[in-house]
């Protein structure tokens, strides 16, 4: 993959790693007074040029979180995006609108995805379709996961590798482990080898790393990501909020921890049946005192 530009950002101790940058900065795009519909279509033009699904996801995620980054509640953001999708983009079928709507289906919130799915049907019915990355966007295969944590239990960073065919990338989420744990930083990097080397660095005596089961990674990260975006002032900084939709999409690609079977309750009839079955078994045939055997069988089943 070849993103337009990349930054360097610390994620595990003093180690620096790279992550994909956006093709543009949504805070500075467009002229003053430009409508959100125009901004969406402008992003659609850029999405047509994206080399792959990851770049499209990151760009769309920055777009759908733009208002959230500026302090608006998520419910208001959903209302604005869905309104623009259904009232504006649905009436402008073109390659650009098809691209941006398909990208929102991949990374948007549940209300945004629902509205975008309906609008995409109208756009494709007019003969316009999203780019080739639409066939796989939002569906990378999870590969492996790791955890690096400090010995005091204050923070941890979980890294999960994903693959779009031969192209790999890593999602890293740093969390504060105070009760309850909350995400404080989200990074996405396409240099898997550099990330894993950073996580496995043993020079810091106050941190450790370990392989992590994919289901365990989801169980640890999903609630932490939700807590990082609560309230008017979330714990996630703006650049991490811009990647949060992609992180949530990745959680849906991971298996869940198998549910623990509920405890089985037995009633008096079950206990009587167990005692009767035991007394009629060969194990009790040589007992010298059947009454004693029955007494203890009833005690034990009780």
């Amino acid at each position: 993959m070849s993103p337009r530009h990349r930054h360097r950002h610390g994620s595990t101790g003093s180690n620096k790693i790279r992550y994909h940058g956006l093709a543009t900065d949504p805070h500075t795009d467009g002229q003053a007074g430009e409508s959100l519909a125009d901004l969406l279509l402008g992003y659609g033009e850029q999405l047509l040029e994206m080399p792959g699904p990851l770049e499209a996801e990151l760009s769309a995620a920055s777009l759908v979180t733009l208002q959230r980054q500026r302090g608006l509640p998520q419910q208001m953001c959903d209302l604005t995006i869905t309104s623009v999708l259904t009232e504006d983009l649905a009436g402008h079928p073109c390659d650009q609108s098809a691209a941006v709507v398909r990208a929102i289906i991949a990374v948007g919130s549940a209300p945004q995805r629902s509205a975008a799915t309906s609008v995409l049907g109208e756009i494709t019915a007019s003969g316009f379709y999203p780019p080739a990355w639409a066939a796989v966007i939002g569906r990378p295969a999870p590969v492996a996961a790791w955890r690096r944590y400090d010995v005091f239990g204050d923070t941890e960073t979980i890294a999960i590798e994903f693959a779009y065919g031969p192209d790999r990338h890593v999602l890293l989420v740093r969390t504060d482990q105070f009760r309850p744990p909350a995400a404080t930083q989200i990074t996405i990097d396409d240099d898997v080898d550099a990330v894993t080397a950073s996580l496995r660095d043993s020079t810091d005596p106050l941190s450790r790393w370990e392989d992590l089961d994919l289901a365990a990674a989801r169980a640890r990260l999903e609630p932490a990501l939700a807590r990082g975006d609560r309230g008017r002032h979330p714990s996630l900084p703006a650049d991490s909020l811009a990647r949060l939709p992609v992180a949530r999409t990745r959680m849906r690609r991971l298996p869940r921890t198998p549910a623990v079977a509920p405890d089985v309750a037995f009633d008096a009839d079950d206990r009587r049946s167990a005692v009767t079955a035991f007394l009629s078994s060969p194990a009790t045939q040589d007992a010298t005192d059947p009454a004693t055997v029955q007494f203890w069988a009833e005690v034990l089943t009780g």
Side-chain angles (χ1 to χ4, degrees), residues 20-58:
H20 278 289
L22 296 174
T24 60
D25 182 354
H27 295 282
T28 58
D29 281 352
Q31 302 298 319
E34 183 180 33
S35 71
L36 183 56
D38 291 335
L39 183 62
L40 284 169
L41 288 173
Y43 259 66
E45 185 68 36
Q46 296 179 33
L47 287 168
L48 292 175
E49 302 175 2
M50 292 293 172
L54 179 59
E55 290 85 355
E57 286 178 292
L58 289 168

Side-chain angles (χ1 to χ4, degrees), residues 17-298:
I17 63 174
R18 298 177 298 169
Y19 66 86
H20 278 289
L22 296 174
T24 60
D25 182 354
H27 295 282
T28 58
D29 281 352
Q31 302 298 319
E34 183 180 33
S35 71
L36 183 56
D38 291 335
L39 183 62
L40 284 169
L41 288 173
Y43 259 66
E45 185 68 36
Q46 296 179 33
L47 287 168
L48 292 175
E49 302 175 2
M50 292 293 172
L54 179 59
E55 290 85 355
E57 286 178 292
L58 289 168
S59 186
S62 180
L63 178 62
V64 299
T65 58
L66 177 58
Q67 294 174 310
R68 186 74 181 105
Q69 294 174 51
R70 295 174 175 174
L72 268 68
Q74 184 61 48
Q75 186 176 8
M76 181 66 70
C77 298
D78 288 340
L79 181 62
T80 302
I81 292 291
T82 56
S83 176
V84 171
L85 287 172
T86 56
E87 296 178 12
D88 294 300
L89 263 66
H92 292 81
C94 58
D95 292 336
Q96 293 86 343
S97 59
V100 73
V101 169
R102 179 63 184 91
I104 291 175
I105 292 173
V107 302
S109 64
Q112 294 170 8
R113 296 198 306 271
S114 178
T117 300
S118 176
V119 171
L120 183 60
E122 298 181 40
I123 294 174
T124 56
S126 299
F128 298 95
Y129 300 89
W133 48 251
V136 296
I137 188 172
R139 295 194 292 272
V143 178
W146 306 269
R147 181 172 79 103
R148 188 175 182 92
Y149 56 96
D150 71 275
V151 296
F152 302 108
D154 293 335
T155 63
E156 73 175 20
T157 297
I158 291 178
I160 310 172
E161 178 185 351
F162 292 89
Y164 274 121
D167 297 324
R168 300 181 300 158
H169 63 275
V170 178
L171 166 70
L172 296 101
V173 181
R174 180 182 175 89
T175 63
D176 281 341
Q177 291 300 295
F178 303 107
R179 297 186 179 181
T184 58
Q185 183 184 48
I186 300 172
T187 305
I188 295 174
D189 196 302
D190 67 347
D191 193 341
V192 178
D193 294 335
V195 171
T196 54
S198 175
L199 289 170
R200 294 174 179 176
D201 178 27
S202 59
T203 59
D204 185 355
L206 299 180
S207 64
R208 304 286 187 271
W209 76 273
E210 64 181 1
D211 293 326
L212 194 62
D213 178 76
L214 290 172
R218 177 173 184 168
R220 297 182 76 88
L221 283 185
E222 210 160 32
L225 288 170
R227 296 187 193 102
D229 186 30
R230 286 181 178 173
R232 181 126 183 138
H233 302 289
S235 61
L236 284 170
D239 58 346
S240 290
L241 276 175
R243 301 182 201 105
L244 180 59
V246 178
R248 285 175 168 160
T249 298
R250 296 299 180 267
M251 293 301 101
R252 296 195 291 269
R253 302 298 299 167
L254 299 178
R256 290 188 180 275
T257 302
V260 177
D263 293 336
V264 179
F266 297 98
D267 57 21
D269 290 337
D270 294 319
R271 291 191 290 272
R272 281 193 293 270
S273 297
V275 169
T276 301
F278 174 69
L279 293 177
S280 61
S281 69
T284 64
Q285 299 308 307
D286 296 330
T288 57
D289 187 355
T292 300
V293 174
Q294 180 172 351
F295 169 78
W296 285 109
E298 292 173 349

Side-chain angles (χ1 to χ4, degrees), residues 6-22:
R6 290 190 277 186
H7 303 276
R8 298 182 67 83
H9 199 89
S11 176
T12 55
S14 60
N15 299 294
K16 304 296 183 181
I17 63 174
R18 298 177 298 169
Y19 66 86
H20 278 289
L22 296 174

